[in-house]
Amino acid sequence: MIKLPKEINQIMKALESKQFKVYAVGGCVRDSLLGMSPLDWDIATNARLDDLTKIFPSAQVLNEKCSIIRMDFTVGDGDQEGIIADIATFRKKGDESDPGNAGEVVFADTIEEDLGRRDFTINAMADNPSGSIVDPYDGRADLKAKLIRTIGDPSEQFSKYPIHMLKAVRL
């Protein structure tokens, strides 16, 4: 389990109080496990956009189609102090074999499905203070071994998303 900032804890408690599942996911979990203090946090939940905007009426809607909102706890304009939280509904990969479905958003029921659509194993981890880290692709072991592995076939991943090659080098 990672140490969550008070703002992230408040967001998670607000969602859990409405009976939604909620996790910190991706790079903020990776960076926290590395001992870093992320400024931007990704939160995944089974709450949909209508629920999110009711629970967090002051949030900015970033993407209606993907059901993503942003809570900005930074101090001042462009300041690097504070926390930014992007809260998104669980999603999974759509049917990529059908070109007509390209860009289709498919909502998921579980955090495991959501993690399965991510790029690298070290970005496919989730945490909730009420439980343990969800790590279906052994991202913690890869982090410890300083190994960058894709989720799925690397040839397919990099041909569909060439930018992931640059991201792998950055990581």
Side-chain angles (χ1 to χ4, degrees), residues 9-21:
N9 269 320
Q10 290 168 349
I11 290 169
M12 293 177 113
K13 285 180 182 176
L15 286 160
E16 287 175 332
S17 74
K18 301 292 185 188
Q19 307 305 310
F20 292 109
K21 296 175 184 160

Side-chain angles (χ1 to χ4, degrees), residues 93-112:
K93 288 184 179 180
D95 181 7
E96 295 178 348
S97 65
D98 181 358
N101 289 335
E104 178 186 12
V105 175
V106 181
F107 292 108
D109 296 321
T110 67
I111 188 63
E112 291 82 6

Side-chain angles (χ1 to χ4, degrees), residues 93 96 116 118-120 137 149-161 164:
K93 288 184 179 180
E96 295 178 348
R118 297 179 184 271
D119 50 9
F120 303 110
Y137 301 98
R149 280 189 315 123
T150 62
I151 295 178
D153 178 36
S155 298
E156 284 182 34
Q157 280 283 9
F158 293 142
S159 65
K160 286 180 189 170
Y161 310 102
H164 288 179

Side-chain angles (χ1 to χ4, degrees), residues 111-128:
I111 188 63
E112 291 82 6
E113 289 174 295
D114 186 84
L115 295 174
R117 71 178 177 81
R118 297 179 184 271
D119 50 9
F120 303 110
T121 60
I122 61 173
N123 291 334
M125 297 180 283
D127 193 22
N128 178 300

Side-chain angles (χ1 to χ4, degrees), residues 68-80:
I68 304 171
I69 64 169
R70 173 170 287 171
M71 301 286 293
D72 188 341
F73 301 98
T74 56
V75 180
D77 190 31
D79 199 338
Q80 289 298 313

Side-chain angles (χ1 to χ4, degrees), residues 1-118:
M1 181 167 21
I2 61 175
K3 183 172 172 28
L4 301 173
K6 68 177 187 223
E7 297 89 348
I8 302 305
N9 269 320
Q10 290 168 349
I11 290 169
M12 293 177 113
K13 285 180 182 176
L15 286 160
E16 287 175 332
S17 74
K18 301 292 185 188
Q19 307 305 310
F20 292 109
K21 296 175 184 160
V22 59
Y23 299 86
V25 295
C28 61
V29 175
R30 177 199 68 227
D31 291 351
S32 294
L33 290 170
L34 290 171
M36 300 164 69
S37 297
L39 294 176
D40 64 317
W41 289 78
D42 291 328
I43 308 294
T45 179
N46 61 334
R48 297 289 179 101
L49 185 61
D50 289 347
D51 302 310
L52 293 172
T53 56
K54 285 177 189 162
I55 297 168
F56 306 108
S58 64
Q60 173 189 4
V61 176
L62 289 184
N63 188 316
E64 277 188 48
K65 183 178 177 183
C66 293
S67 187
I68 304 171
I69 64 169
R70 173 170 287 171
M71 301 286 293
D72 188 341
F73 301 98
T74 56
V75 180
D77 190 31
D79 199 338
Q80 289 298 313
E81 294 198 27
I83 299 290
I84 294 174
D86 291 341
I87 308 163
T89 302
F90 295 156
R91 299 187 311 270
K92 61 183 174 181
K93 288 184 179 180
D95 181 7
E96 295 178 348
S97 65
D98 181 358
N101 289 335
E104 178 186 12
V105 175
V106 181
F107 292 108
D109 296 321
T110 67
I111 188 63
E112 291 82 6
E113 289 174 295
D114 186 84
L115 295 174
R117 71 178 177 81
R118 297 179 184 271

